[in-house]
Amino acid sequence: MTRRATVILVSCLALAGIVAGTITYVLLRTKGSPRATAAAFLAAWEKNDYAAMAALTVPPSPDLAGRLGAMRTGLGVTKAGFRLGAVRGGHAPYTATLTLKGVGTWTYEGALNLAKHDRRWRVAWTAAAIHPRLREGQRLAIKTSWPKRGAILAADGSRIDVPGVSGSVQQLAGLVGPATAADLKRLGSPYKKGDKVGHGGIQQEMERRLAGTPTTAIEVVDQAGRPVAALHTIPGRAGGTVRTSLDPRVQAAAARAITSQGKPASLVAIRASTGQILAVANQPGGFSRALLGHYPPGSTFKVITAAALLADGLSPAGRVPCAKTANIGGREVHNFEGEAFGEIDFRTAFAKSCNTAFATQATQRLTKQQLTSAARQFGFNTPLRPGVPAARSSFPGPGDLVEFAAASFGQARVSATPLSMAAVAAAVKAGRWLPPRLVVSPAVPGQPKAIALNPAVDANLRAMMAAVVTSGTAATARLPAGTAGKTGTAEYGTGAKPPTHAWFIGYRGDLAFAVIVEGGGIGGDVAAPLAGTFLRAAG
């Protein structure tokens, strides 16, 4: 072999060795870096991606998801954030900030230990990866101490959440008792079995404000739940006060007015200029029919139909027929007890509550959309949020001419609560519909907007409602001077002569109201005198 050939052979062998070494290094070297693995692990933790976290651990941890899920549930973690520190070798410190539902935030320093496994960097999984004080068989838990519950106040500053208040006021305030399973499911952390929570009324609606937030100790506990180490304490916040517009004097007057009734009755009073609820009375107790009861409004709905007809151009002095019956769409409409007044002016038709006049005028002059729009202008089909549970009054679009005629005087599928009808009367007095409110502080979110009425229409409505009291269906009720209103005798049930609810809605000064007696009969004979008793006591 020549010297040149020898040199070439040696060079080739050297090059082959270098290549082989390089290939071996590439194949056997550890992929990634401790920082990249730690960052990926913490990013997955932020997203509660336990599968991704488990894939980055060694040895594989079948209980990782269970541990972290239990931690999230037990502490009430709604958000987790992690900031990775300077990684040195296999040690990766991090700062965790956990947001705990209803409590606040907890920030602590933790660390991940990393190791090489199958030529990749992995998190060496132990309980200490969750928190440095945590050991196998232990878990994190919270211990809460609730502050004094906030008070619920009437407009004059007196408490309405104390023993001795009337049943109607107690319904508004609600009660406080041990949390049920349903409460815990609804409220979540930091509530636990045995904690006191609101049930019904303002106590339930304003639970978070009234309860405040507890002082919360975060602890390490053993398998039996015994404390092992105290980690952190988050100070609580005292329960806040809830102020209502309830006027004790007006409330007492409302309660006295209906307590003599042998039949279920309710009365709602509103300050017309603000929409604030001054009184809510139910007889008997057990169900807040004033706020939740659905009834056909009967002729009290004629306030709304009259507003639509006036807006369409019908004058209070315009002549309308008030026959005993009227055939509309093949169905006979009749007046209560077969009354007939012949051709009269619209003001008198309203004051005498002539069904046939309203049914014929509405079906001849208005579209279904016009009446639906008028109902909406007075709060129908609008969710109410007074600060306690309250039902929405409903005016479904009439399906045919027969239903349109019946709906025009508050029958068919029209349904209303006494609260909504008190707001209708308040709107006439104030010149605008205002959403009724009981809780005035803190402000209840999601309130519907006020709706201004046509000033000319509203002026005519006020005069027509005054005529109901002076010369119409409420003339014999001996109501106080200055009262204006509308009676209602609303049929329900079936039969040739179905039973009726007795209604009267109205206002005197800035005090608007609605009274209903279930199955009470004639509005002018039963409900209107109760309103008179109320108004005289309320002053």
Side-chain angles (χ1 to χ4, degrees):
M1 180 182 295
T2 64
R3 184 172 181 275
R4 181 180 179 190
T6 300
V7 172
I8 293 173
L9 177 60
V10 171
S11 298
C12 288
L13 291 173
L15 180 60
I18 293 171
V19 171
T22 301
I23 292 173
T24 299
Y25 171 77
V26 170
L27 291 175
L28 297 180
R29 74 180 177 85
T30 302
K31 297 178 181 179
S33 68
R35 183 173 187 82
T37 297
F41 186 87
L42 295 177
W45 196 350
E46 285 188 351
K47 296 182 289 187
N48 299 318
D49 188 349
Y50 302 142
M53 295 174 70
L56 293 170
T57 61
V58 62
S61 176
D63 66 341
L64 181 146
R67 277 180 176 272
L68 293 178
M71 172 186 168
R72 186 177 76 249
T73 302
L75 299 185
V77 179
T78 59
K79 183 180 179 182
F82 300 91
R83 181 171 55 82
L84 184 60
V87 179
R88 292 182 175 84
H91 184 74
Y94 66 82
T95 302
T97 300
L98 307 183
T99 301
L100 311 185
K101 183 179 179 181
V103 172
T105 59
W106 174 37
T107 298
Y108 69 88
E109 303 299 324
L112 302 176
N113 290 317
L114 298 108
K116 299 175 183 180
H117 181 74
D118 290 341
R119 297 185 297 279
R120 293 181 184 275
W121 285 100
R122 293 287 185 263
V123 173
W125 177 253
T126 65
I130 298 174
H131 189 280
R133 299 286 298 277
L134 203 59
R135 299 294 179 265
E136 294 303 320
Q138 299 175 347
R139 59 184 173 85
L140 299 179
I142 58 175
K143 180 180 179 181
T144 54
S145 175
W146 289 90
K148 183 179 179 181
R149 196 172 179 89
I152 304 175
L153 306 180
D156 64 356
S158 61
R159 293 190 65 163
I160 65 171
D161 58 343
V162 293
V165 299
S166 71
S168 294
V169 174
Q170 189 178 84
Q171 283 179 335
L172 294 175
L175 300 173
V176 178
T180 65
D183 293 326
L184 297 179
K185 183 177 180 180
R186 173 174 54 87
L187 296 169
S189 180
Y191 289 88
K192 288 182 170 52
K193 184 178 180 180
D195 287 343
K196 302 296 185 181
V197 301
H199 293 141
I202 295 170
Q203 292 285 9
Q204 182 168 324
E205 292 291 304
M206 296 288 172
E207 167 63 28
R208 296 289 184 182
R209 177 178 178 87
L210 290 166
T213 57
T215 295
T216 302
I218 303 169
E219 302 174 326
V220 175
V221 299
D222 63 18
Q223 290 179 329
R226 294 184 294 260
V228 173
L231 302 180
H232 185 68
T233 298
I234 301 175
R237 174 180 54 80
T241 296
V242 172
R243 296 184 177 274
T244 74
S245 54
L246 202 71
D247 185 316
R249 180 177 56 83
V250 179
Q251 176 67 33
R256 285 197 298 270
I258 64 171
T259 50
S260 61
Q261 276 299 305
K263 295 184 177 181
S266 67
L267 191 157
V268 180
I270 294 176
R271 180 174 289 114
S273 59
T274 64
Q276 293 177 350
I277 299 171
L278 304 179
V280 178
N282 294 290
Q283 170 65 33
F287 175 64
S288 182
R289 56 185 50 83
L291 307 183
L292 299 173
H294 273 280
Y295 307 92
S299 290
T300 60
F301 191 81
K302 288 174 182 169
V303 173
I304 295 172
T305 305
L309 290 168
L310 291 167
D312 191 63
L314 179 59
S315 164
R319 307 298 288 178
V320 297
C322 180
K324 181 178 179 179
T325 62
N327 188 293
I328 299 176
R331 184 73 60 85
E332 188 176 84
V333 174
H334 59 85
N335 290 323
F336 185 70
E337 296 187 336
E339 294 175 321
F341 298 101
E343 188 175 281
I344 54 178
D345 60 58
F346 184 45
R347 179 188 296 105
T348 302
F350 182 88
K352 299 294 186 181
S353 202
C354 181
N355 290 345
T356 57
F358 269 78
T360 54
Q361 295 304 304
T363 55
Q364 291 173 10
R365 290 174 172 268
L366 302 176
T367 65
K368 298 173 186 178
Q369 290 73 24
Q370 281 177 293
L371 190 54
T372 301
S373 177
R376 189 179 302 113
Q377 192 175 33
F378 282 89
F380 276 70
N381 301 335
T382 299
L384 302 181
R385 295 183 173 86
V388 290
R392 174 174 62 178
S393 291
S394 174
F395 184 84
D400 56 25
L401 198 62
V402 173
E403 187 178 7
F404 188 12
S408 71
F409 52 91
Q411 296 287 169
R413 294 181 294 149
V414 185
S415 68
T417 66
L419 173 63
S420 289
M421 294 314 297
V424 168
V428 175
K429 171 59 180 175
R432 58 176 182 159
W433 180 83
L434 293 168
R437 295 180 299 134
L438 177 66
V439 172
V440 295
S441 176
V444 178
Q447 291 292 332
K449 294 181 180 180
I451 303 174
L453 305 184
N454 180 304
V457 168
D458 192 48
N460 286 327
L461 283 176
R462 287 197 293 270
M464 291 163 68
M465 289 177 70
V468 170
V469 174
T470 57
S471 60
T473 52
T476 61
R478 294 188 299 174
L479 290 156
T483 305
K486 182 69 189 77
T487 59
T489 303
E491 294 181 349
Y492 67 98
T494 58
K497 193 172 182 180
T500 57
H501 299 311
W503 279 95
F504 187 64
I505 68 171
Y507 60 85
R508 182 171 183 260
D510 201 24
L511 184 61
F513 57 86
V515 183
I516 186 172
V517 180
E518 291 184 14
I522 302 172
D525 293 347
V526 177
L530 294 179
T533 300
F534 162 67
L535 291 172
R536 283 186 285 273

